[in-house]
Amino acid sequence: MSTDSPLIIALDYPSLDAALCMADSLDPARCRLKVGKELFTRSGPDVVEALHGRGFEVFLDLKFHDIPNTVAGAVEAAAEQGVWMVNVHAAGGRRMMETARERLDRQGLSTRLIAVTVLTSMMADDLAETGVAASPASQVERLAVLAHDSGMHGVVCSARESARLHELCGADFLKVTPGIRPAFAQAGDQRRVMTPGDAMAAGSTHLVVGRPITQAEEPMAALAAIEAELT
């Protein structure tokens, strides 16, 4: 089932059963679902197949970062599973990203391919420890422009960087933003955060939301409250 909703719900669960239990409480017409490393490592393609069977579009969040041919093969494998979106690390460089995009195009696969810029848990001191002297904002801009020039459909970034990336890369360039916390939720371990309404106003195109929905007593009520913040 295709949806126009900007909301992507993170299924950060250790088991297939727990993830599907949450999926069964959500509406595929009103959100997409994100499958990350732990869930996919434990459950494999079965989780993607099960979510597709329930009508959901899936963002496979595995953040591939390897030599170009290896990443291209992994991206192709993900796209062949029918996922709506998959991602790589922009830090893997131009050749890695271009090779992955070229593989999708050559195989006629329509999966969106986006690149991670700077993880939303990282601050300037975290970057400095890895040898990056630039601020998080500057590094995001550098990697986003590289991703755009390399043929990516968009990037993962903080909502705080969305407005600048809108200027640099255009409105059609997807800006998928974790670290989204509605007014009723706590920030948790994400450090560069923003409310849903502010994020969309800043230029985000898609919002990744986890615990405010997945830990709510009534997930659809929490999702409806976020939708209300967007109107």
Side-chain angles (χ1 to χ4, degrees):
M1 179 181 295
S2 180
T3 177
D4 293 329
S5 172
L7 298 177
I8 303 170
I9 311 308
L11 295 182
D12 294 328
Y13 293 98
S15 74
L16 178 61
D17 287 346
L20 295 184
C21 183
M22 175 53 59
D24 287 338
S25 70
L26 298 170
D27 182 351
R30 293 168 64 181
C31 64
R32 296 179 174 93
L33 300 178
K34 181 175 80 71
V35 172
K37 288 184 174 67
E38 181 178 9
L39 179 57
F40 192 79
T41 300
R42 292 181 183 276
S43 303
D46 287 350
V47 65
V48 174
E49 182 178 357
L51 295 175
H52 284 162
R54 286 161 168 77
F56 287 97
E57 292 185 319
V58 175
F59 169 23
L60 189 58
D61 178 24
L62 300 183
K63 302 182 180 71
F64 297 127
H65 187 172
D66 212 312
I67 63 175
N69 285 336
T70 297
V71 168
V75 166
E76 180 181 3
E80 287 176 344
Q81 293 177 48
V83 299
W84 165 70
M85 178 180 283
V86 67
N87 58 1
V88 301
H89 266 289
R94 181 186 301 272
R95 194 156 56 88
M96 187 199 79
M97 289 188 282
E98 287 180 343
T99 303
R101 176 61 192 270
E102 289 166 1
R103 181 73 64 88
L104 288 181
D105 292 345
R106 186 165 66 246
Q107 299 300 327
L109 297 165
S110 60
T111 295
R112 276 76 164 178
L113 179 59
I114 64 173
V116 177
T117 53
V118 176
L119 299 174
T120 55
S121 61
M122 297 189 77
M123 305 296 280
D125 55 344
D126 300 308
L127 286 177
E129 287 183 334
T130 70
V132 177
S135 68
S138 296
Q139 183 70 354
V140 166
E141 290 177 17
R142 178 180 295 109
L143 292 175
V145 170
L146 178 62
H148 179 270
D149 293 347
S150 301
M152 299 297 96
H153 295 103
V155 290
V156 179
C157 64
S158 164
R160 297 181 184 276
E161 290 113 20
S162 292
R164 178 59 176 156
L165 299 191
H166 182 94
E167 296 176 3
L168 291 172
C169 302
D172 293 336
F173 193 64
L174 302 180
K175 292 162 283 289
V176 180
T177 55
I180 299 298
R181 291 293 181 268
F184 59 82
Q186 297 294 318
D189 59 2
Q190 299 277 13
R191 295 167 72 178
R192 294 178 1 251
V193 300
M194 192 176 285
T195 65
D198 288 344
M200 293 297 289
S204 298
T205 60
H206 296 86
L207 311 178
V208 178
V209 184
R211 284 167 287 188
I213 288 178
T214 60
Q215 294 185 2
E217 291 186 11
E218 297 183 19
M220 278 305 299
L223 189 147
I226 293 174
E227 290 174 331
E229 290 189 32
L230 296 176
T231 58

